[in-house]
Amino acid sequence: MTIIECSGLARRFRLNWALRDCDLAIPAGHVVALVGPNGAGKTTLLNLAAGLLRPTAGRLTVLGGERPGSAAARARIGFVAQDAPLYGHLPAGDMLRVARNLSVRWDDQRARDRLARTGVPLDRKVSKLSGGQRAQLALTIALAKLPDVLILDEPVAALDPLARHDLMGSLMAAVAQDELSVVFSSHVVSELERIADYLVVLNAGRLQLAGEVEALIAGHRILTGAGGEMSLGSQRAAVVHASTAAAQAHLLVRMPAGDQVPRGWQSQPATLEDLVLGYLRDPAARMLPGQAPATAGEVAVPA
Amino acid sequence: MTMIAPPGLGTGNGPAASRVPWHRLAWVTWRQHRAALAAFAVLAGLIATAMAATGLALHAASLRHFSSRSQWVLLDDTQTLLELTLLLLPVLAGLFLGAPLVARNFETGTIRFSWVQGANRTKCLLAAVALIALLLALIAVGLGLEFRWWATPLLVPGWAWRPDLFGLNPPAFAGWIMLGFSLGVTAGAAIGRTVPAMAATFACYPALWYQVAARWRISELMRLRQAGLHSRFSALRSGYTPFWYLQRRVPAWLTYNPGGRWAEYQWIEFGWLIAVSALLIAGTVILIRRRAA
């Protein structure tokens, strides 16, 4: 089952295209990181999946064919929007009761246990909670709905490192306990590797990269050398991004495992951060399932 | 583990069949808006108390005993203040209960919370509108009935037909409260910001009220039929009472509306106001169904 599937998806806000030509199929059972710079279209894509927006063009389904925003989709998706919007004038305990009364499924005991564990006082108004406590409350509400899929829009953007670590830790615990699928957006790339096992990179409203993290890392290398002409071993190989530093050229190369490293170049494994940054720095580069690499074969690298 | 509903995880069809019951949505509305509703109820209570205190005095001493000029001035001032407050009440309902209902959710972003929960956005809106409208209607009917009682000692022929006071009687008053509230809700959904929505409500309501009070009521309510003198005069344009004509044996053709049709006109006005309110709410539903969060 796919949790989000779209084809030709586009969304325009007045004259600006926030998302264009988006073809994507995210399978269930993953923790999916949706990465991109500010304004890349991450929030637009997630709001479309949550049914808060309608596409300008194309189609999008969730949970294996459900219409976003339909009763079934709302019941089975836990969505936490950017900045975790909650009713600020209510105490946290009453916020829980409001969410419970708005939900089809709800596990109250678990929600209360979770809040006690994370130190969110039930009698304090939501507006008086710290950023971390507020994010924990929003996550607790989303989890108490017993969702099949959790969609989180920039859950850690406004949090300090400690709160960020705690939130991600409790998210991972919930994922392990419930076998949830999770989609979260982030522009913080440093911690993705230990959290996400599926990566989607969006840049300037277009999809650049999508796939399982393990396969993506295995399919990319960092090559370091003096520069000049370089012949890549196969047609499936491509230079994603090239940079020069200290008289050395550094390349992020899409290179299937087993391909020969070109002569004169040193190879090392790419990290997830290398991958994300490499693709984001070159918006023309794409690696999407079923598409040919953007550049292949003979390439000239600046010395 | 406490479950409200069976989980049906991963099946995809279990939860779709379940719906969030209306009474749970009503509780959510009450919890979110109870402070504003309580403030409105306190205001209505103050008006009711003032009306009761002055009304009891009025009823105890009939108008004949209002001999001194100062007593008349006091009565006049009280009446003016009371009428003005009651006329303003529907606008206040629109400003403080109607306009923020949807607009505040847009402003604070909580629309992105409430619209992704179990109940759909139309149902959430209708539950909130229905509960608040019901409470407002109860307040309006109570105050309207009390105003009728209050004004009984002042009864001069035709007072209840006065275009400015006609709408303060139930059920028309309940209709006006509904209209004020609905206008606020629609303005809030259309504009998406509370203060501008309040300003729009404040500007539109008096215009609508004027259309009805100063135009419709004068032309329709008092739609005067050619008729001879009639002892059950209730609507007068000139201020001359039938008694005045009878006394002077003046043969005159006057136009009038029989007093018995007062209730009929009340229901006509109420019906129109409810219909317009319902249209406004229907428009709001269309707006929020189309609107992006």
Side-chain angles (χ1 to χ4, degrees), chain B residues 69-88:
Chain B
R69 185 175 161 71
S70 63
Q71 279 173 311
W72 276 108
V73 169
L74 181 69
L75 174 69
D76 232 23
D77 288 351
T78 313
Q79 190 180 353
T80 309
L81 188 67
L82 198 57
E83 287 167 10
L84 199 65
T85 316
L86 288 175
L87 284 173
L88 275 175

Side-chain angles (χ1 to χ4, degrees), chain A residues 151-208:
Chain A
I151 299 181
L152 311 169
D153 190 4
E154 299 278 6
V156 296
L159 303 186
D160 62 59
L162 190 62
R164 183 182 300 172
H165 189 268
D166 289 348
L167 187 81
M168 280 311 188
S170 50
L171 175 64
M172 287 304 105
V175 170
Q177 187 182 341
D178 294 346
E179 298 179 349
L180 287 171
S181 299
V182 179
V183 181
F184 72 97
S185 68
S186 181
H187 57 251
V188 182
V189 293
S190 55
E191 294 173 359
L192 293 181
E193 203 149 5
R194 69 179 180 86
I195 300 166
D197 60 2
Y198 197 100
L199 182 72
V200 177
V201 177
L202 263 177
N203 200 359
R206 290 176 189 272
L207 269 178
Q208 266 196 292

Side-chain angles (χ1 to χ4, degrees), chain B residues 36-287:
Chain B
L37 282 168
F40 198 81
V42 167
L43 177 66
L46 286 175
I47 297 171
T49 310
M51 219 173 351
T54 51
L56 284 173
L58 262 177
H59 279 258
S62 79
L63 282 185
R64 291 194 197 104
H65 296 107
F66 271 72
S67 49
S68 80
R69 185 175 161 71
S70 63
Q71 279 173 311
W72 276 108
V73 169
L74 181 69
L75 174 69
D76 232 23
D77 288 351
T78 313
Q79 190 180 353
T80 309
L81 188 67
L82 198 57
E83 287 167 10
L84 199 65
T85 316
L86 288 175
L87 284 173
L88 275 175
L89 214 55
V91 194
L92 296 178
L95 292 183
F96 297 104
L97 289 165
L101 190 74
V102 180
R104 186 160 293 156
N105 281 330
F106 277 119
E107 262 174 353
T108 57
T110 47
I111 212 84
R112 290 176 290 136
F113 167 78
S114 56
W115 282 2
V116 295
Q117 305 305 314
N120 67 39
R121 44 182 92 172
T122 305
K123 193 171 176 179
C124 284
L125 175 77
L126 291 181
V129 166
L131 180 77
I132 297 175
L134 181 69
L135 295 174
L136 287 177
L138 289 175
I139 289 174
V141 169
L143 286 177
L145 287 172
E146 194 180 1
F147 181 70
R148 277 182 77 174
W149 164 80
W150 186 89
T152 313
L154 305 175
L155 274 180
V156 287
W159 82 271
W161 290 93
R162 267 176 54 187
D164 52 340
L165 300 185
F166 183 79
L168 297 183
N169 290 275
F173 191 48
W176 282 106
I177 289 244
M178 294 297 105
L179 181 71
F181 172 64
S182 311
L183 202 56
V185 173
T186 308
I191 298 170
R193 293 177 62 201
T194 307
V195 174
M198 289 167 95
T201 309
F202 194 71
C204 290
Y205 181 83
L208 280 171
W209 183 84
Y210 180 79
Q211 282 296 319
V212 175
R215 287 170 173 268
W216 181 80
R217 281 190 200 143
I218 285 178
S219 65
E220 283 298 315
L221 182 66
M222 309 237 172
R223 187 167 46 172
L224 305 172
R225 284 188 306 173
Q226 291 286 315
L229 281 177
H230 196 284
S231 59
R232 292 192 295 128
F233 247 93
S234 56
L236 297 171
R237 302 180 96 176
S238 59
Y240 294 116
T241 63
F243 181 67
W244 187 90
Y245 288 101
L246 285 170
Q247 223 179 14
R248 286 159 184 77
R249 297 179 181 282
V250 177
W253 285 95
L254 287 180
T255 48
Y256 77 103
N257 225 332
R261 296 187 67 189
W262 185 84
E264 187 186 321
Y265 275 105
Q266 275 283 323
W267 285 108
I268 289 172
E269 184 160 317
F270 174 76
W272 274 111
L273 292 170
I274 293 298
V276 173
S277 305
L279 280 177
L280 284 169
I281 296 302
T284 309
V285 168
I286 294 169
L287 270 176

Side-chain angles (χ1 to χ4, degrees), chain A residues 200-286:
Chain A
V200 177
V201 177
L202 263 177
N203 200 359
R206 290 176 189 272
L207 269 178
Q208 266 196 292
L209 184 64
E212 289 187 30
V213 168
E214 218 168 89
L216 289 175
I217 288 179
H220 288 79
R221 310 284 301 171
I222 297 285
L223 300 184
T224 311
E229 290 289 321
M230 180 183 71
S231 175
L232 292 169
S234 79
Q235 283 301 307
R236 292 185 299 153
V239 174
V240 175
H241 178 72
S243 63
T244 311
Q248 289 251 303
H250 298 269
L251 311 180
L252 173 66
V253 181
R254 179 185 169 184
M255 182 183 269
D259 271 19
Q260 285 285 322
V261 175
R263 190 176 300 226
W265 293 84
Q266 287 183 334
S267 165
Q268 56 184 321
T271 63
L272 193 59
E273 193 170 347
D274 292 332
L275 261 180
V276 171
L277 294 178
Y279 274 87
L280 289 181
R281 281 179 181 136
D282 192 348
R286 299 238 188 294

